[in-house]
């Protein structure tokens, strides 16, 4: 395997080099393995002609910018932080439909990038699209935020040319490539995280307040389940409320669902068999550390018929 990964890396680096020539390239890192591997490949190909950004959409996990900076320190890659939280929250304001949310996210995402490329006088955006993203979007399962050409949108309409060095690979191949590229274990083993981030993990409108709730619950879920090494584990905030008791008073509060799955490539998935004492601890921690949550439930559906994410 290692040999083919090495060959893949050599091929992609020279392809990018040839395509780009002396022009400038921009990449965005989200904290995940796909964007990290795509960024390192582009860096190997064009060196200082690559500028790397962390776009704070407002929908990222806790401490993500620090994680990204840390993951790139061995490569001497500087991460530019762009805070566009307000733009994203206002683009998603009042939108509850899942596909409309994804589209609004995508539109804002690529508009932000169009501006960054202009500002950097760059010609290309490198991104970590992988095979499952393309297949699911084409199949109409959902609109992945990072898939454009494959559904007939010309990236040039956003002023972009896109390089997707990983689009032929599934997740486990990407992890092998990332390992071969020398990325840290915490990166190449990291759980997938969707591009539209926490926005698709609150059912209904993605307000700042609701995103804050799911971010904190996600942090707790990741902490408590990491030793079980799930393919993905996270929290979802329901749109309904339910009755509970807080401080001896009736409290009509939020409901958090915990989703944890085992999977090989995200095309199918099974719920993780989480020991009951861990589930109980999760329920206790979330309701005691988060006064706005009164109920926590564990989800037991496979993919299919469910998907991994809720939207
Ligand atoms: P589903 O929910 O379809 O997800 O079972 C399959 C895998 O894809 C991730 N996912 C996304 N990744 N942009 C991404 O980059 C997206 O829009 C997106 N939607 C889902 C999901 O987390 C899972 O790993």
């Amino acid at each position: 395997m290692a040999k083919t990964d090495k060959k893949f890396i050599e091929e992609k680096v020279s392809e990018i080099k040839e395509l780009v020539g002396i022009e400038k390239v921009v990449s965005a890192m989200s904290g995940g393995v796909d964007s990290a591997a795509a960024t390192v490949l582009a860096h190997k190909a064009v060196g200082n002609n690559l500028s790397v950004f962390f776009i704070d959409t407002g929908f990222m996990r806790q401490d993500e910018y620090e994680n990204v900076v840390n993951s790139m320190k061995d490569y001497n890659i500087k991460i530019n932080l762009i805070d566009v939280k307000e733009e994203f929250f206002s683009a998603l304001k009042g939108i509850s439909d899942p596909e409309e949310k994804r589209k609004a996210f995508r539109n804002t995402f690529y508009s932000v990038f169009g501006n960054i490329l202009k500002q950097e006088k760059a010609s290309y955006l490198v991104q970590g699209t992988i095979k499952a993203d393309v297949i699911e979007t084409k199949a109409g399962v959902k609109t992945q935020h990072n898939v454009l050409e494959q559904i007939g949108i010309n990236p040039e309409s956003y002023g972009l040319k896109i390089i997707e060095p990983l689009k032929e690979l599934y997740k486990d191949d990407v992890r092998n490539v990332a390992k071969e590229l020398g990325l840290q274990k915490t990166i190449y083993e990291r759980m997938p995280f969707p591009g539209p981030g926490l926005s698709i993990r609150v059912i209904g409108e993605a307000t700042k307040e609701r995103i804050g709730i799911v971010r904190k619950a996600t942090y707790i879920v990741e902490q408590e389940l990491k030793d079980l090494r799930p393919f993905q584990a996270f929290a979802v905030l329901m749109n309904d409320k339910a009755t509970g008791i807080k401080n001896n008073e009736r409290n009509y509060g939020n409901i958090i669902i915990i989703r944890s799955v085992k999977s090989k490539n995200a095309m199918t998935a099974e719920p993780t068999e989480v020991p009951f004492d861990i589930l109980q601890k999760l329920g206790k921690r979330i309701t005691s550390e988060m006064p706005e949550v009164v109920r926590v439930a564990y989800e037991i559906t496979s993919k299919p018929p469910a998907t991994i994410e809720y939207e």
Side-chain angles (χ1 to χ4, degrees):
M1 197 63 200
K3 197 159 172 219
T4 51
D5 296 331
K6 247 188 205 126
K7 195 156 166 269
F8 174 87
I9 292 168
E10 278 164 20
E11 273 171 21
K12 287 296 157 188
V13 167
S14 65
E15 267 176 35
I16 299 173
K17 237 183 222 164
E18 198 165 307
L19 176 73
V20 169
I22 53 163
E23 295 190 61
K24 287 196 163 174
V25 182
V26 157
S27 109
M29 289 191 65
S30 63
V33 58
D34 307 342
S35 61
T39 298
V40 176
L41 281 173
H43 183 72
K44 272 180 170 288
V46 306
N48 289 337
N49 274 349
L50 173 76
S51 308
V52 184
F53 292 84
F54 177 85
I55 307 296
D56 188 353
T57 58
F59 302 124
M60 309 307 270
R61 279 173 292 188
Q62 200 167 306
D63 306 327
E64 208 59 312
Y65 174 62
E66 291 74 18
N67 289 338
V68 167
V69 169
N70 193 29
S71 71
M72 287 295 109
K73 68 176 191 309
D74 298 342
Y75 300 90
N76 231 346
I77 294 177
K78 178 176 169 252
I79 315 291
N80 301 286
L81 173 65
I82 307 264
D83 180 351
V84 278
K85 293 198 276 286
E86 293 309 321
E87 266 174 83
F88 274 87
F89 280 116
S90 64
L92 272 87
K93 195 171 163 50
I95 306 179
S96 297
D97 177 77
E99 279 294 286
E100 290 305 315
K101 280 164 78 178
R102 283 173 178 276
K103 282 178 194 153
F105 185 97
R106 181 177 67 200
N107 217 1
T108 312
F109 187 82
Y110 286 106
S111 303
V112 165
F113 267 101
N115 291 337
I116 294 176
L117 261 77
K118 237 184 261 159
Q119 188 188 302
E120 294 290 307
K121 297 189 173 47
S123 312
Y124 292 92
L125 170 67
V126 63
Q127 62 175 23
T129 315
I130 67 170
K131 198 164 182 171
D133 301 344
V134 177
I135 291 176
E136 299 222 326
T137 299
K138 272 189 173 164
V141 177
K142 63 176 160 351
T143 316
Q144 302 271 134
H145 84 288
N146 55 348
V147 175
L148 290 177
E149 274 168 304
Q150 294 85 351
I151 51 167
I153 300 177
N154 183 354
E156 305 255 354
S157 61
Y158 293 97
L160 302 171
K161 284 188 263 182
I162 293 185
I163 305 174
E164 295 171 317
L166 308 173
K167 75 174 174 207
E168 307 300 325
L169 303 186
Y170 279 112
K171 199 80 188 185
D172 36 4
D173 300 322
V174 176
R175 293 194 198 283
N176 291 333
V177 167
K179 189 175 177 185
E180 184 65 39
L181 284 168
L183 281 153
Q184 297 158 14
K185 193 170 177 186
T186 48
I187 299 295
Y188 68 74
E189 285 193 347
R190 197 156 190 208
M191 292 177 202
F193 185 66
L198 300 174
S199 74
I200 59 166
R201 292 182 178 172
V202 299
I203 310 298
E205 190 179 355
T207 63
K208 217 179 264 180
E209 189 207 349
R210 304 189 75 223
I211 292 295
I213 295 174
V214 87
R215 178 179 291 119
K216 187 158 180 199
T218 299
Y219 184 73
I220 298 172
V221 170
E222 284 195 5
Q223 259 185 359
E224 294 297 333
L225 297 187
K226 71 172 185 305
D227 291 346
L228 299 176
R229 298 168 57 89
F231 178 79
Q232 250 171 306
F234 54 89
V236 182
L237 176 63
M238 295 291 104
N239 209 10
D240 290 328
K241 291 201 169 179
T243 302
I245 305 165
K246 288 256 163 146
N247 304 323
N248 294 323
E249 272 181 28
R250 185 178 189 279
N251 181 316
Y252 198 54
N254 289 293
I255 308 166
I256 287 282
I257 303 277
I258 298 166
R259 178 80 160 139
S260 178
V261 294
K262 45 190 175 182
S263 175
K264 201 167 148 51
N265 54 24
M267 301 300 286
T268 59
E270 298 289 325
T272 314
E273 286 157 41
V274 182
F276 197 66
D277 57 332
I278 300 182
L279 288 175
Q280 276 182 312
K281 183 170 178 209
L282 264 170
K284 285 202 179 102
R285 264 196 78 182
I286 293 174
T287 48
S288 64
E289 293 174 33
M290 303 184 61
E292 54 286 71
V293 178
V294 295
R295 277 173 201 246
V296 179
Y298 185 61
E299 132 101 84
I300 50 168
T301 327
S302 299
K303 173 183 181 175
T307 52
I308 295 176
E309 304 288 345
Y310 265 54
E311 289 201 330

